[in-house]
Amino acid sequence: MKDVFIVPHTLNSYQNFLAFVFAVEEINKNPHLLPNVSLGYEFHNFLYSHWKTLESSLTLLTGQNGTLNYSCRRKSTAVAALTETSWAASSQVSTLLELYRFPQVTFGSFDPALRDSGQFPSLYQAAPKDTSLALGMASLMLQFRWTWVGLIITEGHRGFRFLSDVRAEMDRSRVCVAFVKVVSSAFTSYFFRPKQHDIITRETSPANVVIIYYDTEGLNDINYLIGQSLVTWKVWVTNSQWRADVGGRNFILDLFHGTLIFSNHHEEISGFKTFVQAVSPFKYPEDTYLTMYWFQNFRCSFSDLDCALQDCAPNASLARLPVNRFDPEMSDESYNTYNAVYAVAHALHEMLLQQAQGPPIGSGESSVFSPWRLHLFLRNIQFNSPAGEPMNLDDDKKPDAVYDILNFWNFPDGLRLKIKLGTFTPHGPHSQQLSLSVEMIEWVTGIPEVPKSVCSESCNPGFRKTPQEGKAACCFDCTPCPENEIANATDMEQCVECPDHQYANTQRNHCLQKSVTFLDYQAPMGKALAGTALSFTVLTAAVLGLFVKHQHTPIVKANNRALSYTLLISLTCCFLCSLLFIGRKT
């Protein structure tokens, strides 16, 4: 009943082991790092069982199972533990190791929950900060104008933290979440497996772009669930923990061809490919996993005498295998493993150097010491990795990770290439954070151009967006603008009324100037009417002059002189007023 769930060893974790061994051998050959000291190692497989995790930790500390406060070790002394365990296992291991103040360095993806120095004072993380992943993915959505995006996350605190972060970034970028699917961990599914795993249903199918947050701690087989649903024509955007199925059984329809991957940027480690090429079970006979893998891939047989490998294919090498069998490119976790070994080595080097310069501690062997002394140096260690990148284990001093954006090519089937398209730099100017070569992207098989992923098509000029009741802001109807109002841009939320001297055209996307009709003085009718008005004005003025000249005569007096003056002046003004209706008015 101790091992309720057993997980087989995978090639991905085995590459971490190869990076670990490569770093140890490289340090032992370096005359400037730990001179006259040889690093060794023990390998403990932390299965997904709480009992096995604690049992392996006890074996590491005491040299045997189930015994506390007593060590069966004599000459060999472990200085630190490098782990790739999940948060739950890390907390268990760290609690036990903290009793002895035993240093623990994790090389899995960065976990903010492990930053608590009060709860995990003996734990250090080699991975760079992963806090800008949500911002990078939201920026990619804006780059291609994808506003209707699905989310698939793995169950666990890291998955839920990413869900919270990516939703906040998408809201700021006005990108809507089409659906959220939480995939249970392998352990939960083992006991409470539902009858069916519908990752993509009728509800989720309209979203052509889906973000997958893959967390290795649950060993979720999201690829298998998507393959079971036969989901095609989707653009998958994921993090570096996502890995293609190396067996090839889920790639009949090239479901993941064109996947966009956010991977932590790191320089190439010179010599690693050469090391992988030279790895063989004959060089490392104690590696039983490598022996079985050699047997399966190079047509070997076992001798009846001592079960040794024989009759293998000539020039057998991991580097000669196709990428779907073994990928020689160093993954993010393998790179973190490599740096974690160097971090412990540099801290150990500084500690031994300080001891050598100080007074002698005792008469015992200088190589035997208490691991807790290493903490001071692990916390303050700063060095450049062999690839030239600055490294430290202080979470507060670590910069945000720079991401390489990779394009997964799997056509023809089995190609499994990851092509770098660009980078995302979170600490750069906002307009320069994302750098991408769009012309290099291989989209989903059968789609030659950038696919669309929207809930509603854009409203053309002349229409305004009307929200659909009970749905996300990205889902809307397009309503024509009212009379004398326009919308001169795409996806306008409100129409704009035209000024008084303008009117809206029939398409409701532009205001036109109102036409002005007037009687010009240069026109024949304008000349005739103006001449007539002036003639009558002159005539009336002449009559008024006569009345004024002969105002004392009996005939003028008899015609009511005051009334005649008033009528003649009024007529003169009336004739002149007609000129106001001729010519353009300003």
Side-chain angles (χ1 to χ4, degrees), residues 521 526-541 572 575-576 578-579 582:
Y521 283 108
K527 292 179 179 179
L529 293 178
T532 302
L534 291 174
S535 298
F536 281 113
T537 300
V538 172
L539 179 60
T540 306
T572 301
F575 290 134
L576 289 176
S578 63
L579 297 178
I582 303 175

Side-chain angles (χ1 to χ4, degrees), residues 444-463:
V444 184
T445 305
I447 299 181
E449 57 185 12
V450 179
K452 290 184 177 181
S453 186
V454 294
C455 180
S456 301
E457 292 294 334
S458 297
C459 292
N460 294 325
F463 295 83

Side-chain angles (χ1 to χ4, degrees), residues 51 118 143 253 256 262 282 303 351 362 452 555:
W51 174 260
Q143 173 75 19
L253 298 178
F256 293 96
F262 277 75
F282 309 105
S303 66
M351 188 183 72
K452 290 184 177 181
I555 191 170

Side-chain angles (χ1 to χ4, degrees), residues 329-485:
E329 294 290 338
M330 186 174 280
S331 66
D332 287 356
E333 284 192 353
S334 298
Y335 186 76
N336 295 337
T337 305
Y338 179 83
N339 286 332
V341 177
Y342 265 91
V344 173
H346 276 277
L348 182 60
H349 180 86
E350 292 294 329
M351 188 183 72
L352 294 178
L353 185 62
Q354 187 182 85
Q355 288 182 358
Q357 294 174 351
I361 299 177
S363 59
E365 296 181 2
S366 60
S367 59
V368 179
F369 60 91
S370 300
W372 62 267
R373 298 178 181 272
L374 200 62
H375 282 296
L376 176 63
F377 302 92
L378 285 173
R379 279 193 292 267
N380 300 320
I381 192 67
Q382 293 187 9
F383 65 97
N384 288 330
S385 69
E389 295 186 355
M391 289 294 302
N392 67 79
L393 298 180
D394 189 345
D395 294 337
D396 295 327
K397 296 180 181 179
K398 288 182 178 181
D400 292 331
V402 176
Y403 298 97
D404 289 335
I405 302 176
L406 310 178
N407 192 203
F408 182 72
W409 292 3
N410 191 47
F411 185 81
D413 184 36
L415 188 62
R416 286 6 177 236
L417 289 181
K418 293 180 181 178
I419 307 300
K420 181 178 177 180
L421 303 175
T423 57
F424 177 78
T425 308
H427 45 74
H430 183 72
S431 59
Q432 301 176 9
Q433 288 180 334
L434 183 65
S435 174
L436 201 62
S437 299
V438 180
E439 65 278 358
M440 293 177 57
I441 300 179
E442 281 284 331
W443 297 109
V444 184
T445 305
I447 299 181
E449 57 185 12
V450 179
K452 290 184 177 181
S453 186
V454 294
C455 180
S456 301
E457 292 294 334
S458 297
C459 292
N460 294 325
F463 295 83
R464 64 179 177 88
K465 296 194 301 183
T466 303
Q468 295 180 2
E469 187 176 357
K471 293 187 178 181
C474 299
C475 301
F476 49 83
D477 296 321
C478 296
T479 305
C481 289
E483 186 177 357
N484 206 39
E485 292 186 6

Side-chain angles (χ1 to χ4, degrees), residues 463-528:
F463 295 83
R464 64 179 177 88
K465 296 194 301 183
T466 303
Q468 295 180 2
E469 187 176 357
K471 293 187 178 181
C474 299
C475 301
F476 49 83
D477 296 321
C478 296
T479 305
C481 289
E483 186 177 357
N484 206 39
E485 292 186 6
I486 65 166
N488 57 2
T490 304
D491 288 338
M492 289 189 63
E493 297 182 355
Q494 297 293 336
C495 298
V496 180
E497 187 176 2
C498 290
D500 293 337
H501 63 280
Q502 295 179 341
Y503 67 98
N505 61 354
T506 55
Q507 290 79 22
R508 302 285 199 275
N509 60 1
H510 189 64
C511 288
L512 302 177
Q513 292 287 341
K514 292 181 179 179
S515 58
V516 180
T517 303
F518 62 94
L519 185 61
D520 192 13
Y521 283 108
Q522 304 299 325
M525 181 169 290
K527 292 179 179 179

Side-chain angles (χ1 to χ4, degrees), residues 46 57 79-86 89-98 101-107 114 120-126 344 375 378 393:
F46 279 11
S57 302
V79 298
L82 271 63
T83 62
E84 187 208 7
T85 53
S86 65
S90 291
S91 60
Q92 286 185 346
V93 174
S94 179
T95 301
L96 179 59
L97 297 182
E98 177 58 25
R101 296 203 63 195
F102 196 88
Q104 177 188 359
V105 183
T106 65
F107 53 85
L114 299 177
F120 306 105
S122 299
L123 188 144
Y124 307 89
Q125 300 188 73
V344 173
H375 282 296
L378 285 173
L393 298 180

Side-chain angles (χ1 to χ4, degrees), residues 29-156:
K29 295 176 183 178
N30 189 345
H32 305 290
L33 184 60
L34 291 176
N36 302 323
V37 176
S38 295
L39 287 181
Y41 60 88
E42 297 177 8
F43 180 74
H44 297 268
N45 190 14
F46 279 11
L47 297 176
Y48 280 74
S49 162
H50 298 301
W51 174 260
K52 273 296 183 182
T53 299
L54 294 176
E55 186 180 47
S56 298
S57 302
L58 287 174
T59 304
L60 173 66
L61 290 170
T62 65
Q64 65 177 1
N65 297 338
T67 302
L68 289 173
N69 300 325
Y70 183 79
S71 177
C72 296
R73 298 181 181 274
R74 291 295 181 264
K75 295 182 179 180
S76 62
T77 302
V79 298
L82 271 63
T83 62
E84 187 208 7
T85 53
S86 65
W87 177 84
S90 291
S91 60
Q92 286 185 346
V93 174
S94 179
T95 301
L96 179 59
L97 297 182
E98 177 58 25
L99 296 176
Y100 300 85
R101 296 203 63 195
F102 196 88
Q104 177 188 359
V105 183
T106 65
F107 53 85
S109 57
F110 185 83
D111 193 341
L114 299 177
R115 294 182 61 181
D116 188 354
S117 58
Q119 186 176 1
F120 306 105
S122 299
L123 188 144
Y124 307 89
Q125 300 188 73
K129 284 184 181 178
D130 221 12
T131 53
S132 299
L133 179 62
L135 175 61
M137 289 187 174
S139 300
L140 186 69
M141 303 300 113
L142 282 180
Q143 173 75 19
F144 296 112
R145 298 181 180 179
W146 293 330
T147 59
W148 192 240
V149 180
L151 293 175
I152 299 177
I153 65 171
T154 54
E155 190 177 37

